[in-house]
Amino acid sequence: MSVSGGKDSTAVYLLALESGRPFRAVFADTGNEHEATLEYVARLHARTGGPKVETVRADFTRQLAQHRAYLLREWPKQGIPDAIVQRAAELHEPIGNPFLDLCISRGRFPSRMAQFCTEELKEIPITTQVVGPMRQAGPVLQWIGVRADESRNRALQPRYHRHESGSTIWRPIFRWNIDAVWAQHRKHRLRPNPLYAQGMSRVGCMPCVNCRKSELRGIAQRFPDHIDRIDAWEAIVTAVSKRQSATFFPAVTDPTHADRPTTYPRIRTLVEWSHTSRGGRQFALFFDQQSGSGCSSELGLCEGGAA
Ligand code: SF4
């Protein structure tokens, strides 16, 4: 079963424990997680008596090398100045943070419209590192913590279905409501991920590319270090992008840079706006269209339900 550190996958972990049957629990560390989630997942077995959660991480060493070779070969032909090409090539060394390495290899951040992070950071590592090898030994049933009342999209998913990895997906808490999820925690005397008590409505990437205005404001108020981290990542991904521009959120053109129509606001500008809501109607339009949920993966690898 997949564990995200959120309430729903934890409820499923506890359900699997109640079954009395052996199972494996897997967490895909994106590199964009809150430290409280990492600690919660790492200690889940000790707090419940269940199996230790195994962590998988995507490795982009090969993609970085391929993209470095591509840009050294092609960018000069496209008139990109040599200093930019050389700096971008230097930055194609794997850092070991899956989220950042992925963004460097793509020269951009993922977005609602190009949500390659879910597949690259979660689905592929879990499938190749865990499900694939297990399938060699026999059939695999994946227990997924998805509930119908999380979103309209999730309500349309079936309780059982065949996954392209050859495994079968089962959503055992599909009909549960949120009260049942918390009751499951209480029944096992398990404290939920502390991020909920700190006001977060969703556990997963911090922030998620789909997050809404209120969630961004909450992260900035409570966990400013994570905003600092994204700010530093924006500088790195900008340096490796052909256009020399990369922002975590592809919000519409920054109104303070109206003379430069392809200039998107960096995260600090959006955080400032998220506190004041003054000026920047365009930012509001962008964030109104954000889903607010985490991954849309059919594997339910990150919970939805942001405010
Ligand atoms: S939680 Fe959001 S940012 Fe993280 S992998 Fe899923 S969609 Fe991407």
Side-chain angles (χ1 to χ4, degrees):
M1 61 150 306
S2 303
V3 170
S4 71
K7 58 189 182 311
D8 296 316
S9 65
T10 302
V12 173
Y13 178 93
L14 297 172
L15 204 55
L17 207 52
E18 288 172 7
S19 77
R21 303 183 69 176
F23 66 97
R24 289 175 72 180
V26 185
F27 169 68
D29 179 4
T30 63
N32 187 17
E33 312 284 340
H34 192 279
E35 50 281 11
T37 296
L38 297 176
E39 195 273 345
Y40 190 77
V41 169
R43 303 259 308 134
L44 194 55
H45 69 292
R47 290 176 175 137
T48 61
K52 193 167 173 25
V53 179
E54 302 165 43
T55 297
V56 294
R57 287 186 193 85
D59 179 1
F60 295 99
T61 305
R62 185 178 50 83
Q63 290 91 326
L64 286 165
Q66 279 173 345
H67 196 247
R68 184 200 298 113
Y70 168 81
L71 69 88
L72 283 169
R73 189 178 66 243
E74 299 297 330
W75 285 14
K77 295 181 199 165
Q78 297 166 19
I80 313 282
D82 189 51
I84 291 178
V85 176
Q86 293 307 323
R87 179 72 183 132
E90 279 166 22
L91 288 168
H92 274 65
E93 283 300 325
I95 289 168
N97 181 301
F99 202 108
L100 182 54
D101 282 344
L102 171 63
C103 296
I104 292 173
S105 73
R106 298 278 185 122
R108 58 165 296 178
F109 288 94
S111 68
R112 177 168 50 90
M113 304 302 286
Q115 201 176 293
F116 51 82
C117 45
T118 308
E119 184 180 12
E120 296 274 9
L121 299 171
K122 297 186 174 182
E123 289 191 12
I124 292 177
I126 288 177
T127 300
T128 58
Q129 296 177 40
V130 179
V131 178
M134 284 180 80
R135 286 255 307 129
Q136 306 286 325
V140 177
L141 179 66
Q142 294 199 61
W143 291 30
I144 303 296
V146 163
R147 291 181 296 110
D149 71 2
E150 283 182 273
S151 70
R152 208 160 43 170
N153 186 29
R154 292 198 164 178
L156 295 173
Q157 295 179 343
R159 287 199 74 176
Y160 277 101
H161 76 99
R162 197 87 174 143
H163 185 249
E164 59 189 22
S165 63
S167 64
T168 302
I169 306 288
W170 182 37
R171 299 173 172 83
I173 62 167
F174 195 64
R175 295 285 167 217
W176 288 26
N177 60 21
I178 182 71
D179 293 339
V181 170
W182 295 131
Q184 177 77 334
H185 285 72
R186 285 194 299 275
K187 182 175 161 192
H188 288 262
R189 299 179 187 282
L190 178 65
R191 178 178 57 91
N193 186 319
L195 292 178
Y196 294 117
Q198 292 176 62
M200 301 312 294
S201 57
R202 187 187 65 80
V203 167
C205 281
M206 182 151 290
C208 171
V209 293
N210 290 317
C211 92
R212 306 196 73 176
K213 180 184 178 188
S214 57
E215 190 182 1
L216 180 62
R217 183 172 60 236
I219 292 170
Q221 284 170 341
R222 297 176 187 99
F223 314 115
D225 289 359
H226 287 269
I227 301 298
D228 293 345
R229 175 172 53 77
I230 298 295
D231 183 52
W233 285 7
E234 285 183 328
I236 295 169
V237 182
T238 292
V240 298
S241 79
K242 194 153 63 170
R243 291 190 303 119
Q244 294 290 281
S245 165
T247 56
F248 191 81
F249 295 109
V252 290
T253 299
D254 185 340
T256 60
H257 291 127
D259 53 327
R260 286 184 287 156
T262 54
T263 310
Y264 295 142
R266 287 185 59 157
I267 195 158
R268 290 213 187 282
T269 302
L270 293 172
V271 164
E272 229 171 86
W273 166 79
S274 78
H275 281 90
T276 63
S277 85
R278 277 186 287 108
R281 199 173 69 83
Q282 289 154 292
F283 296 167
L285 287 175
F286 170 80
F287 278 94
D288 285 350
Q289 286 167 10
Q290 289 280 83
S291 68
S293 60
C295 298
S296 59
S297 158
E298 61 177 345
L299 297 184
L301 295 169
C302 189
E303 64 178 0

